[in-house]
Amino acid sequence: MKNNGLKPLAVYVHIPFCEQKCRYCDFLSAKASDEVKLQYLLSLMHEINQTDGSKYIVKSIFIGGGTPSCVPAYFITKIMETLEKRFMIAVDAEISMEMNPGTVCKTSLIEYKKAGINRVSLGLQSTFDDELGKLGRIHDYKIFLNTYGIVRSVGFKNVNIDLMSSLPGQTVDRMQTSLERVTALEPEHISVYSLIVEDGTPFARMAEEGRLNLPDEDTEIEIDKLTRSFLAEKGYRRYEISNYALEDYECRHNLVYWNRGDYLGFGLGAASLIGSTRFSNTRDLKKYIGARGMSEMNIQRLTDKDAMEEFMFLGLRKVDGISENDFEKCFGKNIMDVYGDILNKQVKEGMMHHEGDRWALTEKGLDVSNVLMAEYLF
Ligand code: SF4
């Protein structure tokens, strides 16, 4: 599709509500009353309505949270209608919505579809009810299967399933069973995130008290290896550290983040990047609602050095890595003059590989990507 001089844009909409807080979660989300949810919707619509979208063509929308499916379905219709009024949305735009099993029904799914949602992301996390219970999830595996069945029956053809690894008590066999069960459902996309024990969560307290029973390092390594080889065998290509997709089903929205494309975030705490400016909304719900979505923004103007660092540590999350020509186009500098020593060192260590115009972490490098990315900070 031609852009007619309009700039491509990705749009994120944050719904910060959940039915209950999972024990590991430090996302910006909480339980809320119906009245608060309604006031939030009005503020969100006001924020979108105050935006000049005339320069852009929206290539992807991601409604995330929190749990977007825990607000009434017509909220999603209203959000989409408001976005359509302010922005030109590409006919082939990827429009994703996160949903939790057990928070949707056939009627709501039909409404989401009518509103334009064409990609569903389901937070399953595990296929074992005891693991789900420990995580504090509200669903069990049977509820998930029922939800997945309805999602397919109303005609969604692009579905992601989220799984988690390194869960308390998780074994390699159990992970294998979860992967077998999930791939048997043939979703187009699978994300597998390792549990991270975040400060301030109930899991952090349990870990401190020695009550979390996390898998040891060897088991974690085995689980990661199994995940990669099992999914590859089933035709899911790993295209980012934690993301796997059937051909042509990579999440286009998330690729914008890793490629440092322009995106606008709406809603509580939502972050945006336009050119070399990062900005984000307040994380205070009362302030956000009080200011009808127009509370003060946190603005950061990136220097060239900041942007180069981001280019490296976001781009190298992708299995295809980064292009030296893109680096030169963005910054007017040869990547070797800026990062040549580090790139060559990582190649020697077997962590990086260089082919044609591209630099990408090897499998060994992806395993320790956090350490390697730090080397790109000035
Ligand atoms: S459903 Fe998701 S956002 Fe909500 S508490 Fe659980 S992990 Fe956090």
Side-chain angles (χ1 to χ4, degrees), residues 259-260 275-276 304 307-308 311-312 322-338 357-358:
N259 289 327
R260 297 191 71 256
S276 55
D304 257 9
M308 282 180 200
F311 182 98
M312 298 307 281
I322 50 152
S323 139
E324 45 194 42
N325 289 335
D326 287 350
F327 187 94
E328 186 142 2
K329 258 190 243 154
C330 283
F331 305 112
K333 284 188 178 158
N334 186 311
I335 197 168
M336 297 315 283
D337 294 338
V338 184
D357 155 60
R358 301 201 76 86

Side-chain angles (χ1 to χ4, degrees), residues 151-312:
V151 165
R152 288 304 200 189
S153 75
V154 305
F156 285 103
K157 299 206 162 35
N158 189 357
V159 179
N160 166 60
I161 296 179
D162 279 344
L163 275 178
M164 289 176 81
S165 65
S166 303
L167 300 179
Q170 193 176 45
T171 60
V172 179
D173 284 352
R174 277 182 155 229
M175 189 67 193
Q176 167 135 3
T177 305
S178 278
L179 289 166
E180 275 165 7
R181 288 172 175 168
V182 165
T183 50
L185 296 169
E186 301 180 351
E188 285 68 26
H189 190 284
I190 299 175
S191 301
V192 187
Y193 295 103
S194 242
L195 172 73
I196 296 172
V197 179
E198 302 284 0
D199 287 347
T201 59
F203 266 18
R205 276 194 300 285
M206 288 165 76
E208 245 173 58
E209 292 160 8
R211 292 191 292 121
L212 205 51
N213 185 27
L214 293 173
D216 59 31
E217 211 184 313
D218 287 346
T219 310
E220 260 187 57
I221 292 172
E222 279 308 303
I223 287 177
D224 287 350
K225 260 199 216 158
L226 167 82
T227 302
R228 289 196 294 267
S229 59
F230 189 92
L231 291 178
E233 223 173 84
K234 298 285 177 186
Y236 292 88
R237 186 179 87 91
R238 186 188 197 195
Y239 69 100
E240 192 268 348
I241 295 173
S242 313
N243 286 284
Y244 302 78
L246 298 181
E247 204 180 334
D248 291 335
Y249 283 100
E250 293 83 7
C251 177
R252 287 193 260 144
H253 184 85
N254 284 342
L255 281 166
V256 172
Y257 297 147
W258 301 318
N259 289 327
R260 297 191 71 256
D262 284 350
Y263 58 89
L264 277 179
F266 296 104
L268 189 69
S272 307
L273 174 68
I274 297 291
S276 55
T277 307
R278 279 197 179 280
F279 46 99
S280 57
N281 281 337
T282 177
R283 296 173 64 84
D284 182 324
L285 183 61
K286 270 198 188 143
K287 272 193 195 159
Y288 182 80
I289 290 178
R292 278 284 175 251
M294 301 306 292
S295 55
E296 217 172 287
M297 295 230 168
N298 176 7
I299 301 175
Q300 187 196 3
R301 302 212 190 279
L302 302 176
T303 62
D304 257 9
K305 280 188 173 176
D306 295 331
M308 282 180 200
E309 289 174 356
E310 286 190 2
F311 182 98
M312 298 307 281

